[in-house]
Amino acid sequence: MALARLHAPSLQSCRRHEASCSLTAPTQWQLPSSCSRQEQRRRSCCRRLQCAAAGAGPGSSAAVPTDAARSELKQQLLQAVSRCNNSRPGDNPIELERHVESLAEQLAATNPTPDAALSPLLLGSWALLFSGRSARLAAAAGMPAAAGPTLQQALQAASDRLYSLFYQYVPVLAGSAVGAQRGPSATNLQILKPGRVDNVVSTRSGPLPLRLCVSGSVETVTPAAGKETTCVAVRFDRFTVEAGSLPRTELSLAWLRPLGYVATIYLDGDTRISVGDKGGLKALQAAAAQQAAMAGYWRSILSSARAFGASRPAALLLGTAAVSAGVWAAQSEWRRQQQRSLQAASGAAEPSPVPHASSSPTATAEAAIADADPRLGAFVPRFVLEAGAGMIPHPAKADRGGEDAYFICDRGYAMGVADGVGGWAEVGVDPGLYSRELMRHAKAATSSCEPGPHCPQHLMEVAYLSTTARGSSTACILCLENDRLHASNLGDSGFMVIRDGELMFMSPQQQHEFNFPYQIGSPDSMSDTPQVAQRFSVEVRQGDIIVAATDGLFDNVYPDEAASLVSASKERGESAQAAAVTLAQFARMRAADPTHLSPFAYGAQQLGYRYFGGKMDDITVICAYVVPAPQPRSGSPPPPPPAARL
């Protein structure tokens, strides 16, 4: 048996030209001379599968099914799968699965795609609808059998046994977690590319969402003598586990490379039925078709709502008002609970629900300062930050000062940046108001906070509780405690530590998904809270350079470029302020370059988006040199004990 790499010369014709891919007309991936042979193979395969379904002999004949009959069978199969996956009390699961198997056999006998393993229709994303067993269909497909007892065959037998145990007791690990009888609910997505396959299972069976991915190579197997069906051989080589925000775990299967054969017995533009050499039967639907079906479902719901509103408008208005009031009350209570826990952790005074008309926005922070321990302020550092900032707003937002903000502590040990979320402009709110007030409160709170591991988090929480403007923002706050740099970062802003021209440390971004960062905000924003911020403690030395910036820098300038630029500025004797301005101007130049492969464009292309050039945005950069602290004057009080510091 010869193995050939699965290949599709024309992916664009996969589904867009499905209508032109008739069984009798050659396509651009089939030679005209092979059409008759492909048609004969299809009809022979259909006869064999019909015989397997009806129990007839090989000589039985059957009429070529019509498109209407095929559509009716597909509809019946989907209904049977839905009933099997959502069984009711009193249903017999075995009988339900047998009914699905029977319909799959009948539909396989009408397969419109000869040699499905060679068809580009097979490529793409497929959502698993049903997973069961059908030894009869697997035998009828005529997949190759193992030959000869070898070490590889012994390992393969052990792998098959492990798969069977998973299928029976932990079905989510076998990619078959569908239906009420399969344990935890899960979604299974098979992504087929030329030469590769990813089997992705996502489930939430516990406190953390779980994502499992088994990847492998795919090769087509030419049929042996007397066999008509072409199948594919899958050799898995990698297993990946992701649980919530925990680090991804990857296991190489190269030492085992378990082998399995899969035959696709039915394939069209939106439905696929496959059997495996282990006896598995799977019904899948193209991911795009599944999304279209869900869109149709929601359209029907909206149509019903419109009809109800037309007949009973008063009832619809009252119901909408009740739901809105319930959502608002739930949001408010959730926000109050979050604020109470933060206040207990940070020690900040609870803000008054109705502030006095003459109170300033910094009243809460000033109250916290007034109640601070009088010993605070006596801390004598060995190093301080000699810092300066450069800020360039987006050209379209320059008239209102942009949406970024920053602060630098007058005592030279703390600094921070914030990036207001631009989506608030769509509802008439200036996104820069929240970020500027947030940084103003953070700077005010430095008077009541001494450097320490918890200082950045304390500043972020006090600023968050004190800010009254509407909006939301990312935030990155840094505090220097002698030779330790402590940081709390939330969102896609961040910081870097540079030593002798080399990048020593760079904070990772926090994003819910691409271009959707973590953010803190006003009570009506339903944003994140400071509790989810990432916290860091990095060793620094005299002469190190610290750069804190919003995503306007990191989306356009690569880290090694930024490190080289600020190091060169320092070597030329320029101040930290000049280095920050130089770096911000360089980022603006890159943002305006449509030919530059920016970090943002590279990340977008890795996820399948078509994006080129830089990303125009507000750019805020703080550059700080770690320098020796000025010597304290004689007669200064001794520093407080470590327990008094945050």
Side-chain angles (χ1 to χ4, degrees):
M1 250 177 277
L3 295 178
R5 179 69 62 179
L6 180 64
H7 181 63
S10 177
L11 298 181
Q12 298 296 333
S13 58
C14 178
R15 291 185 176 84
R16 183 165 33 182
H17 301 301
E18 177 187 353
S20 63
C21 301
S22 64
L23 298 177
T24 57
T27 65
Q28 53 184 309
W29 61 81
Q30 286 180 324
L31 296 175
S33 60
S34 65
C35 291
S36 59
R37 184 172 63 255
Q38 298 283 2
E39 178 65 13
Q40 292 172 2
R41 182 178 297 171
R42 182 192 71 82
R43 292 178 178 176
S44 177
C45 180
C46 287
R47 284 196 300 271
R48 293 175 69 245
L49 288 168
Q50 285 172 337
C51 292
S60 302
S61 60
V64 177
T66 63
D67 291 340
R70 187 181 295 118
S71 299
E72 178 65 22
L73 280 174
K74 285 172 57 177
Q75 186 65 27
Q76 293 179 15
L77 177 66
L78 292 177
Q79 292 175 355
V81 165
S82 177
R83 181 65 180 274
C84 188
N85 290 341
N86 302 276
S87 58
R88 304 168 186 171
D91 285 346
N92 187 337
I94 298 178
E95 291 299 328
L96 293 178
E97 291 196 11
R98 285 177 179 173
H99 183 48
V100 173
E101 178 186 4
S102 174
L103 291 172
E105 290 174 344
Q106 296 177 46
L107 190 59
T110 69
N111 183 21
T113 309
D115 273 344
L118 302 177
S119 172
L121 289 176
L122 189 63
L123 302 179
S125 298
W126 294 89
L128 181 66
L129 301 180
F130 172 82
S131 178
R133 296 277 187 169
S134 178
R136 184 169 50 181
L137 272 179
M143 284 172 285
T150 63
L151 176 61
Q152 179 62 34
Q153 293 301 328
L155 293 175
Q156 181 63 43
S159 174
D160 295 347
R161 177 59 179 166
L162 185 62
Y163 178 87
S164 299
L165 292 175
F166 280 162
Y167 188 93
Q168 183 175 0
Y169 299 108
V170 196
V172 67
L173 297 181
S176 59
V178 293
Q181 307 299 324
R182 299 284 188 222
S185 61
T187 57
N188 186 311
L189 196 65
Q190 294 183 7
I191 306 173
L192 281 163
K193 297 168 285 189
R196 296 291 299 176
V197 61
D198 293 326
N199 191 5
V200 182
V201 178
S202 302
T203 183
R204 190 179 183 90
S205 55
L208 293 177
L210 184 66
R211 183 179 184 273
L212 310 174
C213 179
V214 184
S215 305
S217 61
V218 178
E219 298 171 322
T220 58
V221 180
T222 57
K227 303 293 184 181
E228 294 85 7
T229 305
T230 301
C231 63
V232 296
V234 182
R235 294 184 183 273
F236 293 108
D237 51 33
R238 188 171 68 251
F239 179 65
T240 306
V241 180
E242 296 181 26
S245 58
L246 299 177
R248 185 175 67 173
T249 302
E250 187 170 308
L251 175 66
S252 174
L253 303 178
W255 57 277
L256 178 60
R257 289 180 62 83
L259 172 66
Y261 294 96
V262 178
T264 298
I265 59 177
Y266 181 88
L267 177 66
D268 60 19
D270 56 17
T271 304
R272 172 182 145 214
I273 301 176
S274 298
V275 292
D277 59 335
K278 313 295 187 300
L281 169 66
K282 297 183 184 296
L284 307 100
Q285 189 174 48
Q290 191 179 47
Q291 293 173 0
M294 289 301 298
Y297 170 77
W298 286 112
R299 279 196 297 268
S300 65
I301 294 294
L302 291 176
S303 299
S304 300
R306 291 193 192 99
F308 178 80
S311 60
R312 297 178 178 84
L316 180 63
L317 289 175
L318 289 175
T320 303
V323 171
S324 301
V327 171
W328 178 83
Q331 288 180 347
S332 301
E333 180 61 26
W334 177 84
R335 202 67 178 187
R336 280 195 294 269
Q337 294 293 339
Q338 294 293 326
Q339 289 181 343
R340 288 193 189 102
S341 61
L342 286 176
Q343 289 157 1
S346 64
E350 183 173 358
S352 173
V354 184
H356 194 272
S358 61
S359 63
S360 66
T362 59
T364 304
E366 290 172 354
I369 296 171
D371 295 336
D373 191 327
R375 295 178 300 170
L376 297 179
F379 174 68
V380 180
R382 297 203 310 269
F383 299 111
V384 294
L385 299 174
E386 182 183 300
M391 176 183 286
I392 305 177
H394 190 291
K397 308 169 187 176
D399 56 338
R400 59 177 187 268
E403 299 168 354
D404 286 358
Y406 73 93
F407 82 90
I408 299 175
C409 175
D410 296 333
R411 298 162 60 192
Y413 75 88
M415 61 185 187
V417 294
D419 181 4
V421 176
W424 285 92
E426 300 176 2
V427 294
V429 176
D430 182 359
L433 295 178
Y434 187 90
S435 59
R436 286 191 286 271
E437 185 178 348
L438 185 74
M439 291 292 97
R440 187 164 65 249
H441 287 308
K443 181 178 181 180
T446 58
S447 301
S448 63
C449 177
E450 286 299 324
H454 305 293
C455 181
Q457 189 67 19
H458 174 81
L459 297 180
M460 184 181 295
E461 291 175 357
V462 170
Y464 166 73
L465 294 173
S466 304
T467 302
T468 58
R470 291 187 69 197
S472 55
S473 171
T474 67
C476 179
I477 298 179
L478 312 175
C479 292
L480 180 66
E481 182 192 21
N482 294 324
D483 59 352
R484 303 296 299 182
L485 179 69
H486 308 295
S488 285
N489 183 49
L490 189 144
D492 55 4
S493 298
F495 71 99
M496 299 184 293
V497 178
I498 302 163
R499 181 177 302 156
D500 299 328
E502 300 291 334
L503 181 67
M504 301 302 297
F505 179 83
M506 180 175 178
S507 61
Q509 292 185 339
Q510 273 187 312
Q511 298 194 67
H512 293 287
E513 58 186 54
F514 181 71
N515 206 28
F516 178 23
Y518 282 40
Q519 52 199 262
I520 53 177
S522 54
D524 59 344
S525 66
M526 290 297 291
S527 300
D528 304 292
T529 65
Q531 292 172 319
V532 302
Q534 294 176 315
R535 306 180 192 185
F536 307 92
S537 184
V538 183
E539 181 183 2
V540 294
R541 303 176 185 173
Q542 179 179 342
D544 286 356
I545 305 174
I546 300 170
V547 175
T550 59
D551 62 336
L553 172 70
F554 299 114
D555 284 344
N556 293 290
V557 180
Y558 289 95
D560 56 341
E561 294 178 316
S564 299
L565 282 172
V566 296
S567 298
S569 296
K570 185 180 180 183
E571 290 176 0
R572 291 193 298 266
E574 297 179 357
S575 65
Q577 173 80 31
V581 171
T582 299
L583 185 55
Q585 290 174 342
F586 181 77
R588 168 50 58 86
M589 180 187 69
R590 284 294 178 83
D593 185 356
T595 63
H596 171 56
L597 181 60
S598 63
F600 182 85
Y602 178 78
Q605 292 174 17
Q606 291 297 305
L607 296 175
Y609 298 101
R610 292 181 58 83
Y611 190 95
F612 303 94
K615 179 176 179 286
M616 187 60 67
D617 199 356
D618 299 313
I619 300 171
T620 299
V621 179
I622 300 179
C623 184
Y625 300 157
V626 179
V627 299
Q631 293 297 322
R633 298 189 302 270
S634 60
S636 298
R645 304 175 193 163
L646 293 173

